[in-house]
Amino acid sequence: MQITLLNGALNENDPTHAVADLILAELDESPASVIYYPLHTIPIATCIGCFECWVKSPGECRISDAGRDIARDMIQSDVVLMLSPIPFGTYSSELKKVLDRAISLILPFFQMVDGEVHHQPRYERYPSLIGIGVLPTPNASLADLFDRLVGRHSINMHAPSHATLVVTLDQSEQDQQNALRSVLSQLEGVK
Amino acid sequence: MSEHISRRAVLLVGSAKHPSSTSESLGRALLERLEGGGYRYETIKLVRALRSEEGTQVMIQAVKQADLVVFAFPLYVDTLPTLATKALEQIAASRVEPTTPPQFVAIVNCGFPEVEHMALAIEVCERFAKTTGFEWMGALALGGGQAVNGQPLDELGGMMRHAIEALNLAAEALLQDQAIPQEAVDLMATPFIPPRLYTMMGGWGWRRQAAQMGTKKNLRDRPYKE
């Protein structure tokens, strides 16, 4: 099993890193192969909405930087773990910069899904998506918004399955670890 | 109607498209209507402002001095695009609770015909506004945003008549310090062509662009297939 872990911490002091360390320690004990991207340390250009990845160089972003490599690793993985603080219920800008660039992984053409228009898949298989949000303290409405966002995202990215977990900084490390272990243990190939 | 002679507005454009975008067209169309009621406004394109610390500070100052912030952006991957997210993060980090909360309006557009895709992004904006010292005045969402394609909205006429009427109603309400009415929200959400026709035309449009670039046979390529 291949897992890509995207760490959307905003800077080096972001407490999200401590959660990333717990995830990495947990995965280190599993047979899974892990590709880890601490995104704020990696220069990645913002998507400019040119759609060249759909029409000029189909499947590949025109910008030659790590954004391309990460999109490739995402589609070649079985699971993408999206770790992020949850500013106002959404993904952090550091995580979003790679998610925006990953539209190369789907087609411009439309299809109907449950009565709504969505994009068609480009590939035969897609990774499962797991969103792990980090909040300072429990906030049910932000956690709910984050959960719905990952659910919507999984439709557009054709994820075969998805899950979310929100950990809070007022939890003990042991409680965070238990919660992470509970989500990760659901993945075949991690146990 | 209230007097707004000395009131300031700032339009934050979250689209990276150059030279103009649907986000900017929609934001400008609203603010041009408010100008008639005494507002003056400036436009800040986040793609330029957030490129440097200096530009970021200019954006933050403009927001601090504004009586009304119009936050216009395209939906990218189910939520705010990177630039718009980063702007909210930066504004929140520098925010000092003001004596009189400035008003905050969001205008979202996306390539899907249904506005339901934008509901989460609007919730994010509402949460931002309510937790960082703004008065939430509501949001407008336009599906099928490519049809505007950065053109001045009022010049598009007939096809955009619902959107134009929505902006008229929204401006009228804002000039009276009232939230955007549901009627305006519903009008903006009215599809200008049936969704099935829109999706067919969309597919045709992508193939036409690809044909011009000589990539029509490659549109379904899988460069990262193992």
Side-chain angles (χ1 to χ4, degrees), chain B residues 109-173:
Chain B
N109 76 92
C110 79
F112 297 121
E114 308 101 343
V115 295
E116 286 76 11
H117 294 276
M118 293 172 274
L120 286 177
I122 290 171
E123 276 190 61
V124 170
C125 292
E126 183 174 358
R127 280 172 201 283
F128 164 81
K130 288 181 173 173
T131 55
T132 50
F134 291 90
E135 183 182 4
W136 174 247
M137 303 300 280
L140 295 170
L142 177 76
Q146 287 99 325
V148 178
N149 198 26
Q151 301 169 82
L153 196 73
D154 291 294
E155 290 176 16
L156 293 171
M159 186 173 69
M160 284 292 147
R161 65 185 184 282
H162 296 304
I164 290 169
E165 184 54 24
L167 290 166
N168 290 340
L169 291 175
E172 202 175 294

Side-chain angles (χ1 to χ4, degrees), chain B residues 186-208:
Chain B
D186 294 342
L187 277 166
M188 187 64 93
T190 306
F192 50 87
I193 55 172
R196 285 205 179 271
L197 180 60
Y198 176 86
T199 58
M200 280 173 58
M201 288 176 66
W204 175 78
W206 293 119
R207 286 188 192 89
R208 187 170 57 95

Side-chain angles (χ1 to χ4, degrees), chain B residues 13 17 37 52 72 87 98 105 166 210-211 225:
Chain B
V13 179
K17 284 195 175 164
S52 65
V105 166
K225 188 179 179 186

Side-chain angles (χ1 to χ4, degrees), chain A residues 81-118:
Chain A
L81 286 174
M82 305 180 294
L83 171 66
S84 176
I86 313 177
F88 318 107
T90 191
Y91 300 128
S92 74
S93 58
E94 287 295 331
L95 175 59
K96 197 67 192 341
K97 69 185 183 184
V98 297
L99 301 182
D100 288 351
R101 293 278 299 279
I103 65 160
S104 59
L105 301 178
I106 54 178
L107 288 172
F109 305 116
F110 294 127
Q111 65 179 17
M112 297 300 286
V113 178
D114 295 333
E116 278 184 351
V117 177
H118 290 271

